[in-house]
Amino acid sequence: MRDRGSLGIDRELAEGSFGSVYSIRNAECTTAAGQKHVYKEYKGYVTPNTDSLHAFTTFYEDLSAWGKAYLDSMCAWPHAMVTENGYLTGFLMIKVPDKFYRTINFSSGPKLVEAKFEHLLLPGDLLRRRGINLTGKTRYELLLSVVRGLDFFHEHGICVGDFSHSNILFSLTDATVFFLDCDSFHLNGSTVFEPTETGNWSVAERYPDEPVGTPQSDVYKLGLLALRLLMESDKAAYYHASANIERLPAGVDARVGAVIEGSLLDASNRPTIAEWDLALKSAIASCTSELEPVTDPDPVPEPAQPTRGYRAATPEPVPEPAQPTWAYRAVTPDPTPPGGIGVWLGAGSTGQPSKAPPQSRSGAWVGATISILLVAALILIIAALTASADNRGGSSGDRGGTQADERPLAAATRSQTRRPDTSTRSASAASQPSPKPIGTDSIALNATELTLEMGEVFQLTAAKSPTNSEDPITFRAADGNITVDQTGLVLARRYDDGYAGPWDTAVEVTSGEVSRTVQVQVVNSHGWDWRDENWKIDKVNASTMVFDHVIRDCTGFTLGVNLTEGDLGDWDIYVYQGGGGTLGEADRVGRVRVTSLGEAAYSKLAFSQRDVAWILIRPPVDPDGSYRGWRLSVDLQAIEYDGYVH
């Protein structure tokens, strides 16, 4: 355990939702292997479980030298608790190794950032513009590094829990990974904070009754990570990808495809980490080419439940239809020759009726009787042949016993009674087309133009006409500045200081042959400016930052004070919300402790949600109310509002 005052807190290195990470000057704060410590300080509104954090640090202390070295190589695990005046303020951990930082070519220019997996889940063209080139083999190797980290965790009773693309770093120099936010992990069921999950990485979204922070939930999210990492050319992989196994490229190794699919099943049917390890090692050994991107640009609807047996690399061939054993054709019987059917059957080779010689009246009755008997016999013969064809299922063998002039009728009977097999199309299907499906004539939308702030969502609704159209409605984003799922939920790209905007993009809504476009502009209007003034608090002059507009719903900021002349000590920070009135103790949100002239001192201040019109910096005051003049510069490094750090 360390005292906060002994650390020599230096500059802020990174910031998250629960705390900020600072470099420290105390040279004694190193690991047994000589790695330098950094300090993570919790924000004021965060209430960690002290006993759980103590269990985390004790777990580290009890590891062997090899165990500590291995754990430090793959994650920022808590090493020692830090307190101030008896209260927990944060903990020490190792600094993120340099290889897990990368220069990314953002639209605003190159920027050195932590190499989080979120930078890999981009369309292929954008990925390459960012300066990241991934081979299929490297993707497998990164996933194998994740799997081996999970293997170590699970063997020691650790589960990641809030497993997502934002708390894993990557290095392309040696295809290794590094886990962040380890104080949010689960250690033998114990947690420092209430368990949470990142949106679109939540196991509860598919399995609401499944607990978070188990080996099975980690495997589920491993499946999501692998699926989204391998979806190189699919724009749905931009931050909010589907869990649809059909979006895997055709070149993905079949064994990897199988464990991905299995990981998205319910907990009892998911593969083990050992199965993942074996599949990835086999894929790496046999990987000789790039993955083939999905060529279909349209989103594939989410399946209700994935099924086992997916084989991305070796799909079963679709059999070619077999040639029919005999030709089906529409048969039109020849017209009955003049003279009646009796005369036709008795006709000569010319097919013309023979002219009968004159007969007596009795001979006529005899002739009529014979004709009637012949007709009756013919009807019986036809009925017998029909029944025979029915009994034999229309086999071609019935042709041998049929008179030449009766073949059209027998063939017509066969075409109606033969049952087709799986490889042969029936005559009725060929000659009698199925009813034409009902298509879409038009699509009605609840919006045709949108302006969205970065990170903002909008529910787009579409109604097709006629309503009984059999064509489904699909939504597709034009590029990575937005994502849209198949319910029409549009999400603007998440906030990033590296982007200035605005961006013009679109959502394409399609149903059958009908397509409509929704124009979308993504903007960043979170900017602000300020001017310096002097103001008085209890008759004491205070340096004041007056913003050009009121910042709504602010929850904190990081403020730096560089004093070149004046009194050292605690400089109180007040927030004026606007609307008139005087400042009081309730408006004081914290202090910056200045310990030396000419060196900036920073403080991360967190407070309950409020509007901010001014920030006032009040100097230390002597007991008699006196104070010296001062000269200082102020650095407002970050301010939190609208759920973002600006």
Side-chain angles (χ1 to χ4, degrees):
M1 189 174 295
R2 291 277 186 171
D3 181 74
R4 184 180 184 276
S6 69
L7 300 180
I9 297 173
D10 195 6
R11 62 188 183 91
E12 187 179 56
L13 302 174
E15 183 179 24
S17 57
F18 284 4
S20 297
V21 178
Y22 296 90
S23 61
I24 53 180
R25 293 188 293 270
N26 189 334
E28 295 179 359
C29 293
T30 58
T31 68
Q35 294 172 286
K36 192 168 180 59
H37 276 133
V38 293
Y39 166 56
K40 180 172 181 178
E41 182 168 88
Y42 290 124
K43 295 183 177 181
Y45 56 82
V46 173
T47 55
N49 185 314
T50 304
D51 291 338
S52 295
L53 185 59
H54 182 262
F56 277 55
T57 58
T58 301
F59 166 80
Y60 180 81
E61 292 170 359
D62 292 342
L63 285 173
S64 65
W66 177 90
K68 290 177 181 177
Y70 186 75
L71 190 64
D72 288 340
S73 72
M74 66 174 184
C75 70
W77 191 265
H79 286 189
M81 297 169 61
V82 177
T83 60
E84 185 176 48
N85 299 324
Y87 292 96
L88 175 69
T89 60
F91 61 88
L92 297 180
M93 60 185 182
I94 68 163
K95 181 181 180 296
V96 173
D98 292 342
K99 67 179 180 178
F100 294 109
Y101 286 86
R102 188 176 183 87
T103 298
I104 305 292
N105 297 326
F106 295 107
S107 58
S108 59
K111 185 177 181 180
L112 182 66
V113 297
E114 289 181 328
K116 295 183 179 180
F117 258 71
E118 63 187 33
H119 296 300
L120 299 181
L121 306 189
L122 298 170
D125 55 344
L126 182 56
L127 197 64
R128 287 181 282 275
R129 290 202 304 272
R130 294 281 177 88
I132 301 173
N133 295 307
L134 281 179
T135 65
K137 184 177 181 180
T138 302
R139 296 171 195 265
Y140 293 143
E141 289 172 336
L142 288 173
L143 289 172
L144 182 60
S145 185
V146 174
V147 166
R148 288 176 172 171
L150 291 177
D151 186 42
F152 180 89
F153 291 149
H154 293 175
E155 282 187 359
H156 291 82
I158 302 167
C159 294
V160 177
D162 188 16
F163 186 141
S164 77
H165 60 344
S166 62
N167 61 6
I168 308 177
L169 306 181
F170 68 90
S171 168
L172 296 185
T173 59
D174 55 0
T176 53
V177 301
F178 192 84
F179 290 82
L180 301 177
D181 300 329
C182 296
D183 51 332
S184 69
F185 285 14
H186 300 239
L187 175 61
N188 297 321
S190 174
T191 58
V192 178
F193 302 102
E194 286 295 319
T196 60
E197 291 188 284
T198 302
N200 291 297
W201 293 83
S202 170
V203 69
E205 292 173 1
R206 185 181 288 262
Y207 302 103
D209 297 329
E210 183 174 342
V212 181
T214 65
Q216 290 75 25
S217 71
D218 281 355
V219 169
Y220 174 80
K221 296 176 184 182
L222 172 63
L224 290 181
L225 182 70
L227 173 63
R228 296 169 185 183
L229 179 64
L230 297 174
M231 293 165 64
E232 179 186 5
S233 294
D234 192 347
K235 286 183 171 58
Y238 192 113
Y239 293 116
H240 292 267
S242 71
N244 189 345
I245 194 70
E246 300 300 329
R247 300 309 299 165
L248 276 179
V252 170
D253 185 90
R255 292 154 294 196
V256 175
V259 292
I260 291 175
E261 185 177 20
S263 297
L264 303 183
L265 299 173
D266 62 90
S268 61
N269 289 310
R270 290 173 196 154
T272 64
I273 290 296
E275 290 175 301
W276 266 97
D277 185 270
L278 179 61
L280 288 167
K281 285 192 291 190
S282 299
I284 292 168
S286 60
C287 188
T288 58
S289 62
E290 291 302 299
L291 306 180
E292 180 183 345
V294 176
T295 56
D296 178 9
D298 296 324
V300 177
E302 291 288 336
Q305 175 76 11
T307 58
R308 276 198 182 274
Y310 173 74
R311 294 293 183 270
T314 55
E316 293 184 3
V318 178
E320 292 291 333
Q323 293 299 320
T325 56
W326 51 281
Y328 293 102
R329 60 185 179 90
V331 178
T332 305
D334 296 334
T336 302
I341 191 168
V343 177
W344 178 38
L345 288 176
S349 61
T350 62
Q352 299 297 325
S354 57
K355 189 173 182 179
Q359 297 181 11
S360 64
R361 179 170 302 195
S362 60
W365 281 106
V366 171
T369 302
I370 292 173
S371 297
I372 292 171
L373 291 174
L374 288 173
V375 171
L378 178 61
I379 292 172
L380 291 173
I381 291 170
I382 293 172
L385 290 172
T386 302
S388 176
D390 286 340
N391 291 335
R392 288 193 296 269
S395 66
S396 59
D398 58 7
R399 282 188 273 184
T402 305
Q403 296 295 322
D405 292 327
E406 296 167 353
R407 287 176 187 159
L409 184 59
T413 302
R414 284 195 300 273
S415 70
Q416 296 171 6
T417 60
R418 181 177 175 87
R419 176 176 296 177
D421 58 27
T422 57
S423 62
T424 306
R425 186 176 60 180
S426 68
S428 60
S431 60
Q432 300 180 12
S434 59
K436 184 178 180 180
I438 300 173
T440 299
D441 296 329
S442 62
I443 301 174
L445 302 171
N446 65 333
T448 57
E449 293 183 357
L450 296 174
T451 299
L452 301 178
E453 290 286 345
M454 299 181 74
E456 188 179 2
V457 296
F458 180 84
Q459 182 61 61
L460 184 64
T461 60
K464 57 188 177 182
S465 179
T467 56
N468 61 341
S469 166
E470 297 176 22
D471 295 322
I473 294 177
T474 60
F475 300 87
R476 184 172 70 89
D479 56 41
N481 290 310
I482 54 173
T483 60
V484 60
D485 64 17
Q486 293 311 300
T487 69
L489 188 67
V490 182
L491 172 67
R493 69 189 306 164
R494 56 191 293 171
Y495 184 83
D496 191 313
D497 290 325
Y499 300 93
W503 303 269
D504 293 320
T505 182
V507 175
E508 184 178 351
V509 186
T510 304
S511 180
E513 299 298 323
V514 180
S515 181
R516 293 196 63 186
T517 300
V518 180
Q519 300 296 331
V520 182
Q521 185 178 64
V522 180
V523 299
N524 174 15
S525 61
H526 297 296
W528 41 265
D529 201 356
W530 60 280
R531 69 181 188 274
D532 182 40
E533 290 188 2
N534 285 327
W535 203 256
K536 289 185 180 292
I537 303 174
D538 295 332
K539 300 180 180 181
V540 175
N541 284 333
S543 183
T544 306
M545 302 174 65
V546 179
F547 290 96
D548 59 353
H549 66 277
V550 176
I551 300 175
R552 304 293 181 186
D553 302 329
C554 181
T555 56
F557 48 76
T558 298
L559 190 69
V561 176
N562 188 348
L563 186 68
T564 56
E565 182 181 340
D567 288 327
L568 302 179
D570 291 332
W571 289 64
D572 289 328
I573 311 301
Y574 292 75
V575 166
Y576 173 61
Q577 301 185 59
T582 59
L583 290 174
E585 185 61 25
D587 300 302
R588 189 171 70 86
V589 296
R591 60 185 50 161
V592 176
R593 178 168 294 177
V594 180
T595 58
S596 60
L597 296 178
E599 182 177 350
Y602 287 86
S603 182
K604 176 71 177 76
L605 306 175
F607 42 83
S608 59
Q609 183 172 291
R610 67 188 71 189
D611 296 341
V612 176
W614 303 350
I615 296 177
L616 300 97
I617 306 163
R618 182 175 182 264
V621 180
D622 293 334
D624 60 1
S626 63
Y627 61 95
R628 289 198 298 153
W630 68 88
R631 188 183 303 275
L632 58 79
S633 59
V634 177
D635 177 18
L636 184 58
Q637 196 173 75
I639 185 167
E640 296 179 24
Y641 60 95
D642 296 332
Y644 298 103
V645 178
H646 308 271

